[in-house]
Amino acid sequence: MEKISDIKTLTEEELKNWLKEVGEKPFRADQIRNRLFCGQVKSFDAMETIPAALREKLSANFRITSLEEAKRLLSEDGTVKWLYRTHDGHHIETVLIPTNDRFSVCVSTQIGCAQNCAFCRTAKMGFIRNLEAGEILEEIIRVNWYLEETGTKHSDGSLAKVTNIIFMGMGEPLNNLEQVHRVCCTLHHQKLFNLGRKRMTISTSGVVPKIKELVDRNTPCCLAVSLNSTNDERRSAVMPVNKVWNIAKLLEATDEYTKRTGNYVTFEFVLMKGITCSEEAAKELIRICAPRRCKVNAIVLNDGDDPTLEAPSPEEIENFLEIVRKAEIQITIRNPRGRDILAACGQLAYNTTEGKNKC
Ligand code: SF4
């Protein structure tokens, strides 16, 4: 095998097959994966349970790390944002959002994004490539390294570890479903990260056929959908994906998801002045949500690069929330985190033309 792949990308089966190919015992796959994901070792040499000859073969065929820290920014509110250089010279961002005993990591799944949502800085990068499962897992492992280095503790005194994963960084996760599925399976694996499915949330702009595929694959995760508008004309104006799969098709897919998985869907709703934060939009949102098992996560627009989009005033936000709450729709407003370091929703981007991070 050519040395092209991150070893963390391989499934157990693929690793066993490779071991057989190179004349090694397949049971070594368990030991290797244990060192990679439980030990979270930084080099093949640190895999002390693996014989030296096999460690050499591994190192001749695979990368154990694919990312390099290019920049780290700390927000006043405790949020941390990393800029990572990938092995082929591109850049991605990862964000840690600590809240009491919860250490949530927002991971990137692609370099850039093709979805072109108007309110998103990543969209301005265009699409460069999908991330490998190993690269996405490394985003999480590197946060665990950071928590260990900084001696961060849970309230019971134990060493803090990443507790929740949100696939909401750069990229459309469902456009990279094969790799995202691998990541979720590794995170969910009892002997590896052992994270429950409710601790992982995939957020999509609404790639309808992939929502169905997610259910077919039984990917261990929750589903969030970036709805943002309740009217096709307005949604298409800010989310071009709506021109391919409109709101009716999207809701058909989320209804099927709820029916087949028994899980509710979270609708994300970015509040934009005069577009999505109005009395009319609140009423349309009620019409969509009232007959469904769902939650709404409202997010106030963050400053992006589009001067035509504006955040609503606190009064407009309150008015919107009151109308929706009166209809007994479960709606929460997400506190923006890491705004000062451009780590908040829709703010992740790497300026490739200037060759430096915009933050
Ligand atoms: S909001 Fe998400 S799907 Fe839309 S362009 Fe940005 S990264 Fe892509």
Side-chain angles (χ1 to χ4, degrees):
M1 194 184 286
E2 216 184 317
K3 190 173 178 177
I4 49 163
S5 189
D6 183 312
I7 189 161
K8 303 186 296 304
T9 297
L10 267 60
T11 62
E12 192 178 341
E13 213 40 50
E14 287 170 343
L15 188 52
K16 280 183 177 164
N17 288 340
W18 177 80
L19 286 162
K20 277 191 238 162
E21 266 175 40
V22 297
E24 296 283 346
K25 297 271 185 285
F27 76 86
R28 295 281 180 206
D30 262 2
Q31 294 177 328
I32 294 168
R33 280 161 62 82
N34 173 281
R35 294 296 73 213
L36 287 173
F37 302 123
C38 300
Q40 304 191 356
V41 294
K42 295 182 179 170
S43 69
F44 286 113
D45 281 342
M47 291 185 162
E48 69 292 337
T49 49
I50 307 297
L54 175 52
R55 293 203 305 251
E56 266 173 40
K57 285 184 196 172
L58 287 168
S59 134
N61 286 279
F62 301 104
R63 292 188 307 274
I64 193 166
T65 55
S66 294
L67 306 176
E68 197 188 316
E69 184 175 315
K71 199 167 185 175
R72 185 194 301 175
L73 291 164
L74 269 85
S75 162
E76 293 165 347
D77 66 16
T79 301
V80 188
K81 179 170 86 165
W82 284 267
L83 177 73
Y84 291 122
R85 191 176 304 110
T86 60
H87 64 95
D88 53 352
H90 297 294
H91 290 82
I92 56 163
E93 291 183 329
T94 307
V95 181
L96 163 67
I97 309 147
T99 321
N100 304 322
D101 259 352
R102 209 171 152 129
F103 293 88
S104 303
V105 175
C106 180
V107 293
S108 294
T109 53
Q110 298 184 309
I111 304 176
C113 185
Q115 298 301 88
N116 209 14
C117 303
F119 47 83
C120 174
R121 290 169 65 104
T122 305
K124 313 284 180 292
M125 293 171 69
F127 172 70
I128 299 172
R129 73 165 170 86
N130 281 332
L131 289 175
E132 269 188 47
E135 293 175 295
I136 303 169
L137 286 163
E138 190 169 327
E139 294 180 62
I140 298 156
I141 290 171
R142 282 182 177 270
V143 175
N144 278 334
W145 290 350
Y146 165 81
L147 291 171
E148 192 179 345
E149 273 159 32
T150 51
T152 310
K153 302 259 168 56
H154 285 293
S155 55
D156 65 2
S158 63
L159 193 66
K161 285 230 158 109
V162 172
T163 58
N164 295 69
I165 317 293
I166 319 159
F167 296 86
M168 208 190 272
M170 288 181 179
E172 164 52 68
L174 293 189
N175 281 349
N176 188 14
L177 184 51
E178 168 58 35
Q179 298 299 309
V180 168
H181 175 79
R182 284 175 185 232
V183 172
C184 289
C185 292
T186 303
L187 293 172
H188 190 52
H189 196 298
Q190 248 186 338
K191 289 194 193 155
L192 303 176
F193 287 83
N194 195 22
L195 286 182
R197 68 167 60 217
K198 292 215 167 125
R199 292 181 177 267
M200 297 176 269
T201 303
I202 291 182
S203 171
T204 179
S205 59
V207 186
V208 163
K210 296 286 176 178
I211 295 177
K212 294 183 176 163
E213 195 181 322
L214 190 74
V215 182
D216 291 339
R217 284 173 176 264
N218 195 19
T219 306
C221 65
C222 297
L223 180 67
V225 172
S226 214
L227 185 63
N228 298 330
S229 191
T230 47
N231 158 312
D232 276 324
E233 197 185 327
R234 277 199 296 264
R235 191 166 190 266
S236 295
V238 287
M239 300 184 75
V241 67
N242 197 69
K243 293 176 192 159
V244 186
W245 298 289
N246 63 16
I247 295 174
K249 287 183 183 142
L250 178 59
L251 294 175
E252 197 186 300
T254 56
D255 285 349
E256 191 187 330
Y257 169 88
T258 308
K259 197 168 142 205
R260 288 177 59 193
T261 63
N263 298 329
Y264 60 77
V265 173
T266 301
F267 290 118
E268 283 146 9
F269 203 83
V270 177
L271 297 175
M272 295 174 255
K273 192 183 182 76
I275 303 176
T276 59
C277 190
S278 66
E279 204 175 310
E280 192 195 344
K283 286 182 182 155
E284 284 175 347
L285 187 63
I286 294 168
R287 186 178 44 77
I288 285 182
C289 295
R292 298 189 158 81
R293 252 187 93 213
C294 63
K295 289 204 299 195
V296 180
N297 202 351
I299 308 147
V300 179
L301 177 80
N302 279 304
D303 294 333
D305 291 335
D306 190 333
T308 63
L309 300 176
E310 232 185 290
S313 68
E315 294 74 35
E316 285 165 328
I317 296 169
E318 209 28 66
N319 188 33
F320 179 90
L321 293 177
E322 206 181 304
I323 300 171
V324 178
R325 281 189 185 129
K326 267 196 189 144
E328 296 188 359
I329 306 293
Q330 209 183 331
I331 184 166
T332 47
I333 183 128
R334 194 195 302 161
N335 278 333
R337 297 286 304 263
R339 259 186 173 168
D340 53 335
I341 56 168
L342 291 187
C345 189
Q347 290 186 318
L348 301 185
Y350 178 76
N351 189 337
T352 45
T353 49
E354 287 172 22
K356 61 184 171 64
N357 185 9
K358 278 190 174 176
C359 47

